[in-house]
Amino acid sequence: MPVLVEMGWGGLVQYPWSITWTDITDRVDLAQGVTVTRGASDELSETQPGTATMTLDNQDGALTPGNPSSPFYPYVRKNAPIRVSIAHYPARSGASPWQGAQLVDDFSTALDTALWVTRTGTNVTVGGRLRTTDTPGVAAGVRTAQSWILKDNAISARLVTPPTAGASSAATARMTVHSTTAGTRLVWLLDRVAGTLQARNEVGSADATPTTITFSAIDHLWLRIRETSGVTVWETSPDGWDWTVRRSITTPAWVSTPQATSLELSAQRTGGTAGYVEWDSVGAQIRPRFWGMVNEFPVEWEGLHSKVTVSATDLFKRLNRLPALRSMLGMEVLTVDTLTGAYSFPAAYFPLSEPADSTAAGDVIGRGAGALASTPVGAGGGLTFGDEGVPETGETALTLAPASATAGRYLVGDLGLQTAADFTTWNVHTQVWIKTSTAGRAILGMHDVILDNQLVLALNGSGVLTVETTQDGSPLTIGTTTSGNLADGAWHHIVYDGSLHRVYVDGAPVSGTLVGTSTQNIRTLYIGGYRSARMFSGQIAHVSLHLANGPVGSVYAASSDARTGFAGESADWRVERLARYAGLSSVTVHGFTHDPIASQGPGGSGVVARLREVEATESGRLYAERDYYGLAYQSRDVRYNPTSDEEVFAVSYADLEPGTQFADDDQKLCNEVEASRPGGATQTVNAPNSIFAFGTYPQQLNILKTSDNSVLDAAYWLVSRYANPAPELREVPIKAYTMPDYLSILDADISSYGTVYDLPSQAPTLEARVTVEGYTETIRENSHEITFRTSASTNDSVWILGDPDYSQLDQTTRLAY
């Protein structure tokens, strides 16, 4: 089949590496086809969430949610992961021996005995797969004739169903490329009993030094042996697209000669219970089209026939559902543990940003820590929430105004059984923000139920930070740092690293002789004093406790910059930071032009809205990947001055579908821009000639630049591109399946280049280079129609001194931005 549809039953999209995929392609109604929509309508519009729709056969009820007899129960449910790919099988041409890339079989019909000329044991096709029965003591499998060239080629297959151990001492599956010499071969060998996968270069039926890896049915779903430029490699892939080299050798002489080879797919077990091994997709060239989650499984009937027409959405569905972000300072507390490189996690986090009428502070991590209640000590003094907190964060803080060091209010609470148990296993790391003008007070403290283990952060009489500890119930040992006077009326960020017993203040380490504590079974936490004494006077915010198995305080200390919203960091770093806030481990960044970005410090907006702010500020492109659960960001220079080498596809006008037209309207026209930035000037850029010819087409531009000059550059960039847009092709509809460069067309993605040539003589140009902004495709049996939504590539051309194409006066004199 041309399409490969897989479901990740029981998997979670946020953990894509752990998903076991199930092929449901045989359920797809290919008469109606699979439709995928991706990208934006044009270069001035935001990319939209990608979608996929298809109709699936449900005659057996397997796709009915809640059906206990379904083999997929109970995982037929909303948000189930799904991925769609094209499986292209190159046609065989010429006479034997053929190129190894032409060794293909999708097993969609009865076993091709003309291809698999040697067969042992029981081999049948079932559901579009080759099923080989592995009866104990009986070798079984299929083998081609000696008709295939491996040099400069690849031979691959998908191991859909590996053998089971079945109480056998050995249960194996092999993918073997045989030479003409018996026992000389290249082998992928899976031993399910040992749980190993070996890449073998056998001579005389043996390899003394094979490469052995632990087998993973997820990571090693696809197996490939490939030769290129004198090197032979064994590769595995979880999806047939992203391959990992597991072994490489200098190409053996029998491969480089080249010698005609044969491929064998086989299975064998020594004992135990008979089972089977299933192979599929031999020689398939995979092109991912969609990765996302199913919105619902709506069951419907036509007479007695049941079907499910599903729609799915890419990762933007999940991102758009995420709650509004806290301030960047708060989000750093919640997510910075992913950067430590150690096993670490937040155990409790008290932002202390409750409303003014609150009498207690709550934890936002949810591991069982109780609320911290306002507790009186002596007579007089007060404690209030809701006052202005760390500047530029937009969050409030706790204010403490005691009558004296022994009279006032502080917060006290139980951290809970789970947190106490966690403290026994890992070291505690503490973060806190303070502002005070009063020395000699305790900031926070904690202890177990019998006061054996205690930890206190305090300021001594000189305002210098101290760390006080005990782990045997003896009097507190005071370690004094070299922090200097922190009782200076300014906000300070303090981090205590419980592994190294080191302190960081405002992002920098400070020295001092500190005695560590095991902090085992810690249950009680005090904020604003300690055990009815040293009542803190001032403000405290963002108290967090982190547990780690290593020294990671320096990572927490770096979040001190969050108070300014990381103003000035480059756009690519900001995108990666925001992606981390959304739970994404990484972002693929394309391009090299990344300007500094202003603060996005205060919370209240969603992560997608913030990512879009960066995208708009940088004239970049943000979209979901189509081959995995990931985000991609392109800087504007990705589109600068495309060359013929960067062209993904070229298609003749005669091969386009009817309706192709050039657009020349005012949809994109912009000849006056009023631009501004947070805290900066409001500036105007216009194109007088365009205004004279067409009238004023104004636009507002509010972006997160860090300088007024950068704002001016962005405004000029917009006006210079669209003061008088040239006629352009906005759609390129292609019946791609019949095109000789089918795979090249499928490689086109957002910001890819293509050329339409041999345009009619009435066209404004005989050749038009276009940039892909998005596309809609429908995949059917032996049919693949794709309509690219495009823009004119010249819109992103920039001036290059002396270049024959990009230095033409009044044509390509646009300065790069």
Side-chain angles (χ1 to χ4, degrees):
M1 288 187 179
V3 67
L4 174 61
V5 178
E6 299 168 284
M7 291 296 309
W9 303 119
L12 300 174
V13 293
Q14 61 269 38
Y15 305 116
W17 57 87
S18 65
I19 296 175
T20 299
W21 294 95
T22 300
D23 185 352
I24 63 164
T25 306
D26 58 346
R27 295 181 177 272
V28 179
D29 182 350
L30 283 179
Q32 294 189 44
V34 177
T35 298
V36 174
T37 298
R38 176 174 171 77
S41 58
D42 58 55
E43 75 273 33
L44 297 177
S45 302
E46 293 177 348
T47 54
Q48 298 301 304
T51 61
T53 59
M54 68 196 77
T55 298
L56 305 173
D57 180 76
N58 188 41
Q59 193 61 21
D60 59 356
L63 301 182
T64 299
N67 178 9
S69 64
S70 167
F72 313 129
Y73 177 84
Y75 300 118
V76 181
R77 62 191 183 190
K78 51 190 169 293
N79 295 334
I82 185 173
R83 67 185 184 188
V84 179
S85 304
I86 290 295
H88 176 63
Y89 296 89
R92 195 183 314 170
S93 61
S96 173
W98 297 284
Q99 297 300 306
Q102 298 175 3
L103 173 48
V104 301
D105 198 345
D106 65 358
F107 302 107
S108 59
T109 58
L111 188 64
D112 184 352
T113 55
L115 175 63
W116 306 102
V117 295
T118 302
R119 302 170 298 281
T120 56
T122 303
N123 302 277
V124 296
T125 58
V126 178
R129 303 167 184 169
L130 167 65
R131 178 176 292 181
T132 297
T133 302
D134 59 345
T135 304
V138 178
V142 297
R143 181 172 172 175
T144 70
Q146 212 80 18
S147 304
W148 308 96
I149 300 299
L150 180 59
K151 179 177 172 56
D152 297 321
N153 278 268
I155 295 176
S156 62
R158 183 164 59 116
L159 181 54
V160 182
T161 306
T164 58
S168 175
S169 60
T172 63
R174 284 176 177 257
M175 172 181 159
T176 307
V177 177
H178 291 275
S179 77
T180 55
T181 302
T184 299
R185 56 209 176 195
L186 306 174
V187 185
W188 268 122
L189 171 62
L190 166 62
D191 185 336
R192 198 56 189 272
V193 175
T196 59
L197 182 65
Q198 285 191 343
R200 302 176 62 86
N201 174 31
E202 296 187 356
V203 178
S205 302
D207 182 353
T209 58
T211 297
T212 302
I213 57 179
T214 301
F215 175 68
S216 164
I218 295 175
D219 297 331
H220 309 146
L221 178 60
W222 294 75
L223 304 176
R224 184 166 76 178
I225 298 174
R226 180 170 58 90
E227 199 284 335
T228 179
S229 303
V231 178
T232 297
V233 296
W234 287 253
E235 298 167 300
T236 64
S237 173
D239 57 8
W241 170 247
D242 288 313
W243 294 89
T244 300
V245 174
R246 303 297 182 177
R247 183 184 184 183
S248 63
I249 62 171
T250 300
T251 297
W254 61 271
V255 174
S256 60
T257 303
Q259 189 182 110
T261 64
S262 65
L263 173 66
E264 181 179 17
L265 303 175
S266 60
Q268 189 171 6
R269 68 171 54 247
T270 57
T273 306
Y276 58 83
V277 174
E278 290 183 323
W279 299 87
D280 193 10
S281 309
V282 173
Q285 297 184 18
I286 299 299
R287 293 298 185 272
R289 308 313 296 166
F290 178 83
W291 206 113
M293 60 195 83
V294 174
N295 299 322
E296 60 174 336
F297 288 89
V299 180
E300 56 182 307
W301 291 264
E302 291 181 0
L304 297 178
H305 179 74
S306 177
K307 64 180 182 179
V308 177
T309 300
V310 301
S311 63
T313 309
D314 65 22
L315 73 84
F316 272 98
K317 175 182 179 179
R318 181 177 178 83
L319 298 184
N320 281 319
R321 288 202 321 268
L322 295 176
L325 298 178
R326 305 189 71 91
S327 68
M328 294 188 81
L329 193 159
M331 295 309 302
E332 287 297 306
V333 173
L334 292 171
T335 65
V336 73
D337 289 274
T338 61
L339 301 178
T340 62
Y343 183 79
S344 62
F345 59 93
Y349 172 32
F350 299 92
L352 306 180
S353 57
E354 277 77 7
D357 59 353
S358 300
T359 59
D363 161 60
V364 298
I365 297 299
R367 292 182 62 83
L372 306 180
S374 175
T375 304
V377 174
L383 176 157
T384 58
F385 291 95
D387 293 334
E388 182 180 356
V390 181
E392 299 187 46
T393 65
E395 291 186 309
T396 60
L398 172 70
T399 299
L400 301 123
S404 68
T406 56
R409 283 182 172 270
Y410 57 11
L411 296 177
V412 184
D414 184 353
L415 291 173
L417 287 170
Q418 182 61 57
T419 304
D422 290 339
F423 279 150
T424 302
T425 306
W426 292 286
N427 295 312
V428 63
H429 297 65
T430 307
Q431 290 192 78
V432 60
W433 287 78
I434 66 166
K435 177 183 178 182
T436 183
S437 298
T438 305
R441 306 297 173 93
I443 301 166
L444 60 83
M446 58 192 82
H447 61 68
D448 61 16
V449 293
I450 59 174
L451 298 177
D452 272 354
N453 296 283
Q454 300 179 54
L455 171 67
V456 180
L457 301 182
L459 301 180
N460 66 16
S462 300
V464 174
L465 182 68
T466 62
V467 180
E468 306 170 9
T469 61
T470 182
Q471 54 187 3
D472 57 9
S474 58
L476 292 170
T477 299
I478 300 175
T480 303
T481 73
T482 58
S483 70
N485 179 23
L486 301 184
D488 58 358
W491 279 101
H492 294 287
H493 179 222
I494 298 170
V495 173
Y496 171 67
D497 184 317
S499 294
L500 291 179
H501 315 304
R502 169 175 278 187
V503 170
Y504 299 79
V505 175
D506 297 333
V510 296
S511 58
T513 302
L514 308 180
V515 178
T517 175
S518 65
T519 61
Q520 292 190 15
N521 299 310
I522 293 294
R523 286 292 299 270
T524 304
L525 174 67
Y526 301 79
I527 296 178
Y530 186 63
R531 299 186 64 207
S532 302
R534 294 185 284 173
M535 307 299 287
F536 189 86
S537 177
Q539 288 187 287
I540 299 179
H542 301 286
V543 174
S544 60
L545 308 179
H546 304 256
L547 297 173
N549 63 356
V552 294
S554 59
V555 178
Y556 301 131
S559 65
S560 177
D561 289 340
R563 68 177 296 175
T564 63
F566 298 100
E569 70 177 344
S570 62
D572 54 332
W573 287 16
R574 180 64 57 82
V575 169
E576 292 180 349
R577 186 181 304 280
L578 293 172
R580 167 159 53 92
Y581 296 169
L584 297 174
S585 58
S586 65
V587 178
T588 302
V589 176
H590 304 276
F592 304 97
T593 301
H594 306 292
D595 289 354
I597 296 292
S599 169
Q600 293 173 290
S605 59
V607 67
V608 173
R610 295 202 172 191
L611 285 166
R612 294 298 188 193
E613 287 177 342
V614 179
E615 177 189 34
T617 297
E618 290 296 283
S619 296
R621 222 47 172 158
L622 184 78
Y623 55 92
E625 298 281 12
R626 60 185 177 184
D627 61 328
Y628 72 101
Y629 183 75
L631 199 64
Y633 171 73
Q634 297 174 345
S635 67
R636 57 185 175 272
D637 69 306
V638 167
R639 298 183 173 214
Y640 288 172
N641 300 354
T643 66
S644 56
D645 292 339
E646 297 173 293
E647 188 174 84
V648 176
F649 67 88
V651 59
S652 169
Y653 166 77
D655 291 323
L656 300 185
E657 293 303 289
T660 303
Q661 60 177 290
F662 273 87
D664 184 24
D665 52 33
D666 61 358
Q667 176 180 313
K668 300 179 181 180
L669 204 154
C670 172
N671 52 29
E672 183 171 281
V673 172
E674 184 180 88
S676 62
R677 68 182 180 92
T682 299
Q683 305 175 86
T684 299
V685 171
N686 57 37
N689 290 342
S690 174
I691 293 174
F692 179 77
F694 307 116
T696 303
Y697 282 75
Q699 183 169 324
Q700 296 284 331
L701 192 62
N702 302 307
I703 50 181
L704 299 174
K705 295 294 187 181
T706 57
S707 74
D708 292 332
N709 284 339
S710 294
V711 173
L712 204 60
D713 290 342
Y716 171 79
W717 176 249
L718 186 58
V719 169
S720 67
R721 295 160 76 206
Y722 298 108
N724 185 13
E728 64 181 357
L729 285 171
R730 291 185 182 159
E731 286 193 348
V732 178
I734 307 173
K735 283 192 174 181
Y737 188 77
T738 61
M739 302 294 290
D741 56 347
Y742 177 46
L743 291 181
S744 296
I745 294 172
L746 296 188
D747 288 338
D749 200 359
I750 296 167
S751 297
S752 293
Y753 303 112
T755 295
V756 179
Y757 59 89
D758 289 343
L759 286 160
S761 60
Q762 299 88 346
T765 177
L766 296 181
E767 183 174 291
R769 177 168 286 170
V770 297
T771 301
V772 174
E773 305 298 342
Y775 56 82
T776 296
E777 61 185 331
T778 300
I779 309 158
R780 300 184 178 91
E781 187 71 54
N782 297 325
S783 172
H784 191 162
E785 299 175 1
I786 182 166
T787 298
F788 291 110
R789 297 182 293 277
T790 61
S791 63
S793 298
T794 54
N795 289 336
D796 297 290
S797 298
V798 298
W799 181 72
I800 301 177
L801 178 64
D803 187 277
D805 295 319
Y806 297 110
S807 63
Q808 300 177 41
L809 186 63
D810 294 329
Q811 294 184 43
T812 54
T813 53
R814 184 183 303 118
L815 296 178
Y817 153 59

